[in-house]
Amino acid sequence: MITAIIGYFSLIATFLLICFGSILSIYETIRSNQKSSAWTKKINQLILILLSTTIIVILVQLLLQNFQFVYVSKTTQDQTPILLRIAALWAAQEGSILFWIWLISISNYIIQPYLTKLSTKTQSITFIFQNLPIALFLLYLIIGENPFYLYWMDQDQEIWLSIFNLNNWPPYIPANGAGLNPLLHHYAMIIHPPILYLGFSTMWIPTILAFTNIYHKQAKEYSKIIKKWAIISWCLLTVGIALGSRWAFDLLSWGGYWSWDAVETASLLPWISQTVLLHHIFKQNGNHNNHTKTQTLIFLTNFFITFEIFITRSGIINSVHAFANSERSDFFLILLLLNTIIFGVSLVQSIKFLITLENNLSKSIKYRLFSLINSSLLIYAFYLLLGLIYPLIQQAINKIEVVVDQKYYQIGTTILWIFLLLILTAYLLSSIKNKIKWLFGILVLPVILISNQWIPSCILFLVFINIYLWILYFFDYKKISIKKIAILTIHLSILFISIGIIGMEYLSTDQIIPISSQATIVDQKYQIQIKNVSQTTQDQEQITLTSATLELTNTDQNQIAILTPAQTFDENTLQSINLPAQKHFFLDTLSISIAGYDQEQQALLLLIQYHRFSNLLWGAAICLTAGGLLLGFGKMKGKGKNTREK
């Protein structure tokens, strides 16, 4: 009980401290008192200490498995490993929000030394701005879904939730907890959410600096800091999205990287705007107009981050990620609207940015092509945003549920990717002086187009052309530097990721096959023999769960792997969940899951999926992250004369 009170009062103290700091900031702004900078620094330190206390309290209870804590009881159980107990901190609504604002407070503490040169007025206004989301989420936790509730039992054996034992009731400690959703028992889901949160929170640092630039024009002084933290955030989001894709691929039997699930698609929006942001950071060359557009892109990215939080946490959209749904979706809607109002000007500026090729800055064809690439990426981001908000609009206006299926996203993605590849090809051709640049295309074209699927064939042809041109573009330099290696790594990784996506979206196969026990399924490359089938009944809901043991062999009867697809029961949703079994080959992946069991024919229904080039996606994602880090923090310089015109 004492630990719960410590955690609860730490939340209240943090909220009151932010309110006190905001009032003090307003007062110091009016009085123009120069002591405000010391106050804001100390208050931000205290906020971090108090929120760290709440995190420690919950972590200790999770590790000790104190089931009197409601949060511990619903996210862990006796058999939960230590790593999953730690991961339970961000597995439910209350813990994930607390973890999120704790990371924001860390970002506020990191940014504090950069703000010391600002005027008193700017520092005071910035304090209110940087702590506003913390205060709003704290209010939500204090009056709504508090993570420190305890179980108590009254004289009538009824269970009550409260932090304080005002009636001297005995504590109620369940024999066991519900535990995490079985789909979360995956290495990617242990680190996927915190890495995304880290990506979002580190982007808060450039957002604060962009906000201060409205009142205190120091774009040139902050450009290096913004560049550094924008790259860190972009790399973290890249890793987080890749891990989420791998989790969906391994456990959800979607047959793709995430099947355009609303939550995963929403996480792609800030990554796209960050990509455009980094393009501009590396191309701005001190131009003030470009600094203004960099600031606009930072605000746009923050808007997309807020929208992603709204989609994930409000529960307003059906998603397999809805493990932390909330009945208080109005709170998240208010937060989103507040964010939209604050950054509304930047959103209008971003729309203006979409319809210009920046003729006033350069008449170079290469620069126009570069601007067109960035504009296309932002148009694509708004295209995805439209697909996400259209069901919300229909539900709010017409009171009907509308689902935007995968075809909407696939059509838009295919058109955009072909368009981008054509632009990128023209950009590279205009830059390369090598006379043999067309040789590869002439040789590859007949090979690629032998397929009867013209859409993936055309895309693959353009991808291979761009891979070849990027290599030529790289070796067209006599001077090789870390920066050029990083740029080559990033763009080649994106191209190889596109090959993996094309393979999974267009070239993969799936089929449902009914098969009796002890029979053998024969395919062109392998054989699957059923060794054992077992069924159990979940007593509470009378749900039959099926599991199987399969032997995978090649055509020579040599064993490749033993696969064990199964169905399990989720105590939280009271539903059965499929856990597929997979075998990864060099480029491809074989996935087998249980589609059902035919009681009349005593036949097991197996969903067999063969994903082409799937492993390229995961390997290229690692290289993409490494390229981003190399670009941001590589120090080595090349030697020799650069033949490229600057």
Side-chain angles (χ1 to χ4, degrees), residues 17 37-47 49 112:
L17 193 60
S37 61
W39 278 104
T40 55
K41 182 178 180 180
K42 291 179 180 179
I43 291 177
N44 278 325
Q45 289 175 345
L46 287 175
I47 290 172
I49 292 172
Q112 200 62 41

Side-chain angles (χ1 to χ4, degrees), residues 572-590:
N572 295 311
T573 61
L574 302 179
Q575 294 178 348
S576 63
I577 296 177
N578 263 326
L579 299 178
Q582 293 182 330
K583 172 60 181 175
H584 293 277
F585 300 99
F586 178 65
L587 293 177
D588 309 330
T589 303
L590 174 68

Side-chain angles (χ1 to χ4, degrees), residues 90-229:
W90 48 80
Q93 183 79 300
E94 311 94 292
S96 62
I97 290 178
L98 183 59
F99 182 70
W100 163 240
I101 61 176
W102 177 62
L103 292 177
I104 294 180
S105 70
I106 294 176
S107 296
N108 288 343
Y109 179 76
I110 292 173
I111 197 65
Q112 200 62 41
Y114 302 131
L115 306 179
T116 55
K117 296 181 180 180
L118 300 177
S119 65
T120 301
K121 176 182 177 181
T122 304
Q123 288 189 60
S124 300
I125 296 175
T126 301
F127 174 85
I128 298 173
F129 172 78
Q130 65 184 165
N131 287 291
L132 179 61
I134 297 179
L136 290 174
F137 280 119
L138 280 173
L139 189 62
Y140 173 81
L141 291 176
I142 292 170
I143 66 176
E145 301 187 27
N146 196 303
F148 298 104
Y149 279 134
L150 301 174
Y151 284 120
W152 305 96
M153 180 180 291
D154 64 10
Q155 297 85 349
D156 299 326
Q157 305 296 310
E158 292 186 9
I159 308 301
W160 295 82
L161 307 182
S162 176
I163 298 173
F164 307 100
N165 186 10
L166 301 178
N167 298 310
N168 292 321
W169 291 334
Y172 172 74
I173 303 177
N176 201 357
L180 289 174
N181 188 305
L183 290 177
L184 297 179
H185 295 190
H186 188 271
Y187 73 92
M189 287 309 292
I190 295 176
I191 55 178
H192 160 65
I195 288 180
L196 278 182
Y197 289 145
L198 281 170
F200 295 156
S201 62
T202 49
M203 192 60 203
W204 188 240
I205 295 176
T207 303
I208 294 172
L209 294 178
F211 179 81
T212 60
N213 192 55
I214 297 175
Y215 302 95
H216 193 87
K217 303 297 182 182
Q218 296 196 58
K220 293 182 179 179
E221 296 181 23
Y222 288 157
S223 59
K224 291 183 178 180
I225 305 171
I226 289 175
K227 171 184 172 182
K228 171 185 174 181
W229 287 102

Side-chain angles (χ1 to χ4, degrees), residues 416-441:
L416 172 96
W417 194 236
I418 292 176
F419 183 64
L420 283 179
L421 287 172
L422 289 172
I423 298 173
L424 191 56
T425 302
Y427 179 85
L428 293 172
L429 288 176
S430 66
S431 304
I432 298 173
K433 299 178 181 179
N434 199 313
K435 300 300 182 182
I436 63 170
K437 55 191 175 186
W438 285 106
L439 177 61
F440 183 79

Side-chain angles (χ1 to χ4, degrees), residues 42 89 158 178 196 208 318 379 408 512 529 596 614 638-639:
K42 291 179 180 179
L89 174 64
E158 292 186 9
L196 278 182
I208 294 172
N318 291 327
I379 290 173
Y408 171 84
I512 296 179
Q529 184 173 3
S614 58
K639 296 181 179 181

Side-chain angles (χ1 to χ4, degrees), residues 533-545:
V533 177
S534 62
Q535 289 187 303
T536 58
T537 301
Q538 207 288 326
D539 296 332
Q540 182 178 359
E541 299 294 325
Q542 294 298 310
I543 296 177
T544 301
L545 306 175

Side-chain angles (χ1 to χ4, degrees), residues 257-258 260 265 268-269 271-272 304 354 373-387 408-417 420:
Y257 42 99
W258 62 43
W260 296 106
T265 304
L268 190 61
L269 297 178
W271 185 89
I272 294 173
F304 283 148
L354 292 177
I373 290 173
N374 289 334
S375 299
S376 301
L377 287 172
L378 286 182
I379 290 173
Y380 178 61
F382 282 104
Y383 178 84
L384 297 181
L385 180 66
L386 178 62
Y408 171 84
Y409 298 106
Q410 289 173 343
I411 292 173
T413 304
T414 301
I415 294 174
L416 172 96
W417 194 236
L420 283 179

